[in-house]
Amino acid sequence: MSAVAEHTTAGSSGATEPDTSSSAAADGLSVWVTAQSTGPVQRRGRYVPESGKHPARMLPAIAAHAIAAYTQPGDLVLDPMCGIGTTLVEAVHAGRDAFGIEYEPQWSNIADANIRHAHDQGASGRASVIRGDATRLMSLVPKALTGQVALVVTSPPYGPTVHGLVRPGEHGVVKYDDRYNDGEDKGNLAYRDLTGLADGFAEILRACATLLRPGGAVVVTARPWRKRGELVDLPSAVIAAGLRAGLVPTERCVALLAAVRHGQLVARPSFFQLQQVRKARSSGVPMHLIAHEDVLIFAKRSLEDGSGVVA
């Protein structure tokens, strides 16, 4: 498939659920068709308008696909870095129970609002948000939840340099909604370098492994980014963090950030990514647009031999 950039937003203004209409065709495949409609269209009507201010929103269709693939109704789902509550909203709409951890009060308040909105729309699952530092996860949740979580769905932060929206300004392009907080509180993992981010994420995954039930799964979405032209390989750092946390990688899938149209991929790059690729190509470097998230799936390490996966 060839990638074609798309600069328009498709879909009706009344959309109330993520467009996963093409996901059925991808059942059993490692490619998840999760961006047939744009993120704003997937969230429109299903999430409160303030959700769009978060600098790193997971596509609802990615969370919905993971929940459908790895859980059954009534199961318990966790997102230890839940942001505006995308994983929680998709879980309760699917009849699962869920809880999330969120460090920033602004986003946890919006997550609460999104859960209430989901229930107003008839979602049958239960969900709650715990405010706190996910690197201290076990001190935040009741011990009774140990071994009870069927699925963890989350994504690590990418750092403040790769987020945000843009609009034309008097002196050029103006960037906004590009930070997790006002910059004063450096406790957020997004403000660490890659090594510090990976170390903190390993702590979170170690606690997730404790909460995970036998046969449960941890699903992490991540994508690389470029810093001063060099590739920052976040997916590989996540795999290494999972191994340090005592988890075993079992699958590596692809969640499309591009739509499939008539046998082609219709890319929806950010302004910043498109700008970087254009600059690189103009200088003779054949750089490509990133059109997917890596989806990394982990299971618990077997206690019997230290190398297998818990059945």
Side-chain angles (χ1 to χ4, degrees):
M1 293 182 180
S2 59
V4 180
E6 180 181 66
H7 302 285
T8 58
T9 299
S12 67
S13 59
T16 58
E17 62 183 31
D19 182 357
T20 57
S21 57
S22 294
S23 294
D27 280 352
L29 300 181
S30 63
V31 177
W32 300 4
V33 184
T34 47
Q36 290 298 84
S37 59
T38 65
V41 169
Q42 291 186 27
R43 285 183 289 272
R44 190 175 299 153
R46 195 172 176 88
Y47 292 76
V48 299
E50 294 79 9
S51 301
K53 295 183 178 181
H54 192 279
R57 302 167 302 280
M58 182 185 292
L59 279 179
I62 294 179
H65 187 107
I67 290 162
Y70 295 99
T71 66
Q72 298 294 325
D75 281 348
L76 182 61
V77 178
L78 162 65
D79 186 342
M81 305 182 78
C82 71
I84 60 169
T86 301
T87 297
L88 314 186
V89 168
E90 298 310 317
V92 298
H93 273 297
R96 280 68 165 169
D97 295 332
F99 70 101
I101 313 298
E102 176 50 41
Y103 185 80
E104 303 291 348
Q106 176 183 358
W107 310 128
S108 65
N109 290 338
I110 293 175
D112 282 335
N114 279 325
I115 293 168
R116 291 193 298 270
H117 186 58
H119 287 148
D120 289 342
Q121 293 181 322
S124 60
R126 299 168 298 173
S128 61
V129 181
I130 300 170
R131 291 151 182 82
D133 183 351
T135 62
R136 299 181 176 88
L137 182 57
M138 295 308 297
S139 69
L140 300 175
V141 302
K143 290 185 177 179
L145 291 179
T146 299
Q148 300 301 308
V149 173
L151 174 67
V152 176
V153 181
T154 197
S155 180
Y158 296 94
T161 61
V162 295
H163 295 312
L165 302 173
V166 296
R167 59 171 171 251
E170 182 179 352
H171 303 291
V173 172
V174 177
K175 189 175 181 181
Y176 66 102
D177 288 343
D178 59 337
R179 290 189 173 274
Y180 293 92
N181 56 38
D182 60 11
E184 296 298 323
D185 184 356
K186 301 300 184 183
N188 194 306
L189 286 186
Y191 295 99
R192 298 187 185 184
D193 60 17
L194 183 60
T195 299
L197 169 59
D199 289 344
F201 199 59
E203 293 177 41
I204 295 171
L205 292 180
R206 188 173 294 111
C208 289
T210 300
L211 295 171
L212 204 65
R213 75 182 187 190
V218 176
V219 174
V220 182
T221 68
R223 58 179 131 156
W225 73 86
R226 295 182 178 94
K227 186 174 183 180
R228 292 188 288 273
E230 295 185 5
L231 193 70
V232 179
D233 189 3
L234 182 59
S236 292
V238 168
I239 291 175
L243 290 169
R244 294 205 307 275
L247 295 169
V248 178
T250 59
E251 294 185 81
R252 186 167 188 165
C253 298
V254 165
L256 291 181
L257 302 175
V260 180
R261 299 278 190 269
H262 308 295
Q264 291 187 319
L265 292 181
V266 182
R268 300 189 181 106
S270 69
F271 169 85
F272 310 104
Q273 185 187 168
L274 195 59
Q275 185 182 52
Q276 279 194 331
V277 170
R278 284 173 171 168
K279 286 182 178 179
R281 286 181 172 266
S282 66
S283 64
V285 179
M287 191 176 287
H288 297 83
L289 293 171
I290 296 171
H292 72 279
E293 295 257 15
D294 285 66
V295 185
L296 309 168
I297 297 98
F298 300 87
K300 277 189 176 182
R301 190 179 299 278
S302 170
L303 297 179
E304 295 178 359
D305 60 12
S307 61
V309 175
V310 173

